[in-house]
Amino acid sequence: MSPSTPEESPTPNRLRVAAVQMSFADSIAGNLERIEHAAIHAAEAGADAVLFPECATTGYAYDFGTLKPAPLRDGLHKVAEIAERLHVNLLVGSPIFAGRRLYNGLLVFDRTGWLIHTYAKCQLTESDRQWFTPGKGISLFSLDGVPATAIICHERRYPELVRLPVMAGAQIVFHPNAGMDAEEVSRAKRKGRDGIPVRAFENAVYYVFANSVGPQGGGKWSAGDSKIVAPDGSFLQLADNRRAMVLVDDLDLSKATRTYAIDSLNHPRILASHWRRMLPELRRQVVEIDRTFQRWYEPAGGRRRS
């Protein structure tokens, strides 16, 4: 089985997660410094897994037409080194290449710094389409033995992107985001009124949401409002819409029952049979896509698992 897919073994009872609400710097080097600082803070707080926003390595207002593969790859290798040094799982939003095509991705590094999973955003916004190619699959991976999935930003509007991997075993949804709104719109987005608790509730899973915050360039703002949500839809942690911060909380995985998704695999039968047939293809595509991005991330002479 691929290291990115959930293991066929009992999962831990708890996982301590962090959501980083991040103010972007104006360079990859500056963002890497902020990623390292927040990762250290989260690791010192005992976090097992740390989620960063969409495009955390570059910022979302970056001129992606000027982005070169080599400095981006070097930056991602730096993220891997941080994960290994701190012995913590890091989930970092970043552009990523596959061949000549650029994708809006989430990269998952395990405690050894190994890239175990890459998810490419498949439902793109108009801004995304200027630069990014849509992804071809759904996210499914494992952190410390805990099955999980991911969506990116705008994809909160597509419930099937969560429902299917939860059917396949995911107990946690990781959601990196980078808001780009007028300031008055951004400041009205607060106190968790964004539908995310509904997505956690309807799947009976945990939901970890990490957003950017503050000015994003070009007169645009990001609302913050990062959060960690329980399977009953209640907030375990909720950030404000003004400042960078790191949210940390323990997830009691016995409460992430996936009950409603499991029920849907049985009834109604007209749908259940189709859901069941989709799951093997979902898992196959995860392995194939991870290998595609791994080849770009780790060319000859690149970083390899010892």
Side-chain angles (χ1 to χ4, degrees):
M1 180 177 289
S2 164
S4 66
T5 54
E7 301 290 340
E8 297 291 337
S9 60
T11 59
N13 293 324
R14 291 187 177 272
L15 194 75
R16 189 165 175 82
V17 300
V20 176
Q21 182 158 292
M22 183 175 170
S23 176
F24 293 142
D26 59 4
S27 67
I28 292 176
N31 283 315
L32 289 173
E33 287 182 4
R34 295 184 184 190
I35 288 169
E36 182 172 20
H37 178 78
I40 290 171
H41 179 100
E44 289 176 346
D48 300 302
V50 188
L51 176 67
F52 289 84
E54 177 184 24
C55 291
T57 55
T58 58
Y60 189 78
Y62 197 90
D63 182 359
F64 295 109
T66 68
L67 184 61
K68 304 299 183 185
L72 178 60
R73 185 187 288 118
D74 290 345
L76 292 171
H77 288 175
K78 173 66 173 177
V79 173
E81 291 167 4
I82 295 168
E84 182 178 24
R85 174 162 49 84
L86 299 177
H87 194 60
V88 65
N89 299 288
L90 296 183
L91 298 85
V92 179
S94 178
I96 185 170
F97 286 91
R100 296 183 178 181
R101 294 184 175 182
L102 186 64
Y103 295 82
N104 185 341
L106 178 72
L107 288 81
V108 182
F109 298 90
D110 71 8
R111 295 178 185 271
T112 71
W114 182 248
L115 177 62
I116 61 169
H117 177 60
T118 304
Y119 172 65
K121 187 176 182 180
C122 60
Q123 296 289 1
L124 303 183
T125 64
E126 288 300 322
S127 296
D128 285 322
R129 292 189 189 99
Q130 294 181 59
W131 312 111
F132 298 117
T133 299
K136 297 180 180 179
I138 290 176
S139 173
L140 187 65
F141 58 98
S142 183
L143 289 177
D144 292 357
V146 180
T149 187
I151 59 174
I152 298 176
C153 197
H154 173 73
E155 293 183 325
R156 74 179 74 180
R157 297 162 177 83
Y158 301 87
E160 68 278 5
L161 298 181
V162 173
R163 190 65 151 196
L164 277 165
V166 172
M167 286 177 172
Q171 293 181 283
I172 307 171
V173 179
F174 290 98
H175 182 167
N177 197 82
M180 290 284 284
D181 295 299
E183 183 177 359
E184 60 272 19
V185 174
S186 177
R187 292 191 180 281
K189 291 182 177 180
R190 57 191 307 177
K191 297 182 179 178
R193 296 193 297 267
D194 53 15
I196 285 173
V198 174
R199 192 68 70 245
F201 173 79
E202 71 187 10
N203 289 285
V205 296
Y206 286 98
Y207 202 117
V208 184
F209 177 74
N211 197 12
S212 53
V213 68
Q216 302 297 298
K220 300 294 186 180
W221 284 68
S222 184
D225 210 34
S226 300
K227 57 187 72 70
I228 301 173
V229 183
D232 63 1
S234 63
F235 295 111
L236 299 178
Q237 298 287 335
L238 179 61
D240 62 29
N241 67 348
R242 300 181 303 279
R243 58 199 169 102
M245 60 177 62
V246 179
L247 307 178
V248 182
D249 216 307
D250 289 308
L251 309 187
D252 178 354
L253 296 168
S254 68
K255 296 180 179 179
T257 62
R258 307 168 34 244
T259 295
Y260 311 121
I262 292 170
D263 289 346
S264 294
L265 286 172
N266 295 303
H267 301 286
R269 291 183 180 179
I270 191 172
L271 291 177
S273 61
H274 293 291
W275 295 132
R276 289 180 180 278
R277 283 197 294 270
M278 287 182 193
L279 299 185
E281 175 63 13
L282 183 159
R283 293 186 176 97
R284 186 194 68 77
Q285 282 203 332
V286 166
V287 173
E288 179 180 311
I289 293 168
D290 279 345
R291 287 173 178 165
T292 297
F293 287 111
Q294 188 79 31
R295 284 193 290 270
W296 177 84
Y297 169 79
E298 195 176 72
R303 191 178 192 281
R304 296 192 179 278
R305 183 190 286 273
S306 58

